[in-house]
Amino acid sequence: MLAVVEFLGLVAYEILMAFFMGAFHPMENAKKKRYLFLALFPLVAMTMFHSENIGNDTRAYTDLFEDVKEMTLKMALSNGRFEKGYMLFTYVLTRLFSSRQCVLIAEGAIVYLSLSRWLNKWCKAPGLFVCLIVEMLEIDGWMSAARQSLAVAVLLFAYDALVEKKLLRFFILVILAAQFHAVAYVFLLAWPMLWWVDEYRRNSLEKKWQFEKLMAVCVVGIALLTWPMINLLLKIFPKYQYYMSGVYMDGQARLAIILKIIVYALMLLAPRWIKNQNRGTRQSVVELSLYRMALINIVILVAANQATILTRFSGIFSVYAVAEFSEQASKLKRGKNRKIVTVAALILFALYGVIITIYRTPEWQTTYPFEWWGMK
C-alpha cells in the first residue's frame, strides 16, 4: 500500500506542476526552463540519493566502484564483463571520490542534464512527457540500469545529429554511447530508418506506407528468428551470457511487456484517431523521426515478449516514443479533444504504473516503497 501511495504522490506532483505552469501546451523557452528545473528536480534527487536496495543492478555498480578502487587503469579496462567506457567512468570516479554513492550522483547528473537539454531543444510541450516517464516507470529503469542510462544520455546528443543529417557526428556519438552499453548499437538503425525510406510519394502528400510495411515484415521475422538472433548476438558479445540465467529472462516480466505493447500502441494511434489534427501537410523531420522510433519500439517489444532481455533494446527507443505521443497530443486543437486525450493518458498510464508497482513484475521493478541512501 505504501508503495502505491508514494508512486501516486510523485505522479500527483508532476501533474500539478505541469498543469499550473502550462506545460501541457507549447511553452516559451524561459518558462520551459523553469518548469523543467522544478519538474525534474525530485527525479534527479531520487536517482542521485536512492538506496542500494532500489533496483536490481544498483548494488552491482556500487560494489564495482569498491572493486575498481583496487585496480590500475589497465586492469579496469581489461575487465571482461563491462564495457570499457563504463569502466573508465568508474575508474575516474574512484580517483576523485571515496564514497560509492558518487556513482549514483554522477549518473543522475549526466542523465538529467542530457535529458533537460534535449527536452528544452526538441519538446515544445514537455509536461505530458515528464508525467509519463514517471507513470510508465522509465525513471525507475534509469535508477537501476546505470550503464544503459548513460548510453541513453549520450544518444540524446546523437539524436541531434540524426535529425540534422550529420552522419559522421551521429556515428561517433552512437559508438561513444556503446562504450557504456553495447545495446546502444541498435540506435544505428535510426539512420537508415529515417533517411533511406521515403514517407511520401514524389511531389505528393500521399503516404507510401513503406516503413509500416517494413515493420510488419520485421514482426513476422521476429516471430521466426528471435532465438537464433539472440544466440548470434551472444556469440558476438559473450560478456552478456550472464543475463541468460538472471531475472532478465524471468517469464513473469512478460506481463509488463504485454502491458507496454498495449500502451505504446495506444500512444502511437490515439492522437491519429482524433479528427481535428491538421492534415494535408508533411511531417517535419523531428515528427517523422519520433514516429518511426515509436514504431520501432513496439516491434522490439514484440520480440521481447519472447525473450524479455530484449526490453534493453526497447529502452533505447522508449523515450522517443513517449516524446512522440506528448508532441502529438499537444498539437490537438484546443478544446475537449485535447483535454480528453491528456486526462485519459494520465489516468491510463498511472494505472499501468500501479499494476507494475503492486505486482513487482518484472522482478527488478523495486523502486517503491522508496528508500534514501543511508536510511533503512
Side-chain angles (χ1 to χ4, degrees):
M1 182 63 182
L2 178 59
V4 174
V5 171
E6 289 181 355
F7 168 71
L8 292 179
L10 181 59
V11 168
Y13 171 84
E14 296 296 352
I15 292 174
L16 291 173
M17 186 62 64
F19 176 76
F20 286 114
M21 295 196 69
F24 290 124
H25 312 301
M27 307 178 74
E28 295 179 356
N29 195 50
K31 189 175 182 181
K32 188 196 298 185
K33 289 180 179 178
R34 291 195 297 272
Y35 163 73
L36 288 173
F37 175 81
L38 293 171
L40 296 180
F41 180 80
L43 311 185
V44 175
M46 291 172 68
T47 303
M48 287 182 169
F49 303 109
H50 67 78
S51 163
E52 292 175 295
N53 297 323
I54 300 298
N56 191 65
D57 290 346
T58 300
R59 191 173 295 276
Y61 293 125
T62 54
D63 286 345
L64 177 66
F65 177 86
E66 299 295 342
D67 294 338
V68 174
K69 276 184 176 181
E70 310 301 324
M71 297 181 186
T72 64
L73 177 59
K74 183 177 180 180
M75 291 170 61
L77 295 179
S78 63
N79 180 283
R81 178 173 179 180
F82 299 114
E83 293 81 359
K84 286 181 171 55
Y86 186 76
M87 292 303 297
L88 178 61
F89 169 79
T90 305
Y91 178 84
V92 171
L93 290 179
T94 63
R95 270 51 188 176
L96 295 176
F97 308 101
S98 59
S99 172
R100 58 201 277 148
Q101 187 188 354
C102 71
V103 174
L104 309 182
I105 294 174
E107 181 218 340
I110 292 170
V111 169
Y112 280 98
L113 283 173
S114 177
L115 179 65
S116 59
R117 180 209 67 87
W118 188 85
L119 288 172
N120 186 59
K121 183 173 183 178
W122 298 112
C123 193
K124 297 177 182 177
L128 188 56
F129 175 92
V130 175
C131 291
L132 292 185
I133 63 172
V134 173
E135 293 186 340
M136 300 178 70
L137 307 176
E138 289 286 330
I139 65 164
D140 305 57
W142 296 344
M143 290 183 207
S144 176
R147 285 153 53 226
Q148 183 166 338
S149 301
L150 292 169
V152 169
V154 176
L155 290 177
L156 290 173
F157 288 91
Y159 176 85
D160 295 9
L162 172 68
V163 298
E164 293 166 3
K165 208 171 184 179
K166 296 178 179 179
L167 177 59
L168 179 60
R169 181 152 62 96
F170 170 79
F171 184 78
I172 291 173
L173 286 168
V174 173
I175 298 301
L176 176 61
Q179 303 315 301
F180 292 98
H181 201 300
V183 74
Y185 282 120
V186 74
F187 199 71
L188 289 171
L189 294 174
W191 186 275
M193 292 295 185
L194 178 61
W195 294 112
W196 295 2
V197 183
D198 292 332
E199 181 75 359
Y200 301 99
R201 298 185 186 280
R202 182 172 300 220
N203 300 321
S204 172
L205 294 176
E206 183 182 355
K207 277 178 66 72
K208 298 174 71 172
W209 299 102
Q210 287 186 343
F211 187 76
E212 290 78 4
K213 293 174 184 176
L214 176 60
M215 292 298 99
V217 171
C218 288
V219 169
V220 175
I222 284 168
L224 300 174
L225 301 174
T226 295
W227 279 106
M229 289 172 60
I230 290 175
N231 291 331
L232 175 62
L233 288 172
L234 289 176
K235 289 180 180 178
I236 298 173
F237 303 105
K239 68 178 69 176
Y240 300 109
Q241 288 282 354
Y242 68 93
Y243 280 129
M244 300 303 291
S245 58
V247 296
Y248 298 106
M249 294 303 293
D250 188 349
Q252 292 182 353
R254 289 194 174 90
L255 171 60
I257 292 170
I258 292 171
L259 288 174
K260 280 187 176 182
I261 292 172
I262 294 171
V263 297
Y264 279 121
L266 288 174
M267 288 167 66
L268 190 65
L269 297 174
R272 290 168 171 79
W273 289 338
I274 306 300
K275 301 298 183 181
N276 67 352
Q277 294 188 84
N278 291 329
R279 296 180 182 277
T281 58
R282 288 177 179 264
Q283 289 178 296
S284 69
V285 173
V286 173
E287 291 172 331
L288 185 60
S289 66
L290 293 178
Y291 165 72
R292 290 189 172 179
M293 285 194 279
L295 198 53
I296 293 171
N297 182 58
I298 294 174
V299 172
I300 293 174
L301 284 171
V302 171
N305 194 45
Q306 298 187 54
T308 55
I309 185 56
L310 295 179
T311 54
R312 292 282 184 169
F313 291 92
S314 170
I316 297 298
F317 293 106
S318 59
V319 65
Y320 306 103
V322 177
E324 200 276 340
F325 174 75
S326 176
E327 291 299 284
Q328 289 298 322
S330 72
K331 290 177 182 177
L332 297 175
K333 290 182 179 179
R334 292 184 180 273
K336 66 178 183 179
N337 282 336
R338 179 191 285 181
K339 293 178 181 178
I340 289 172
V341 169
T342 301
V343 172
L346 292 173
I347 293 174
L348 176 63
F349 300 139
L351 179 61
Y352 165 85
V354 167
I355 291 172
I356 301 304
T357 299
I358 290 174
Y359 289 98
R360 293 200 172 200
T361 174
E363 185 179 331
W364 61 86
Q365 199 66 62
T366 57
T367 306
Y368 308 97
F370 190 79
E371 294 181 15
W372 296 100
W373 184 276
M375 298 179 64
K376 294 183 179 180

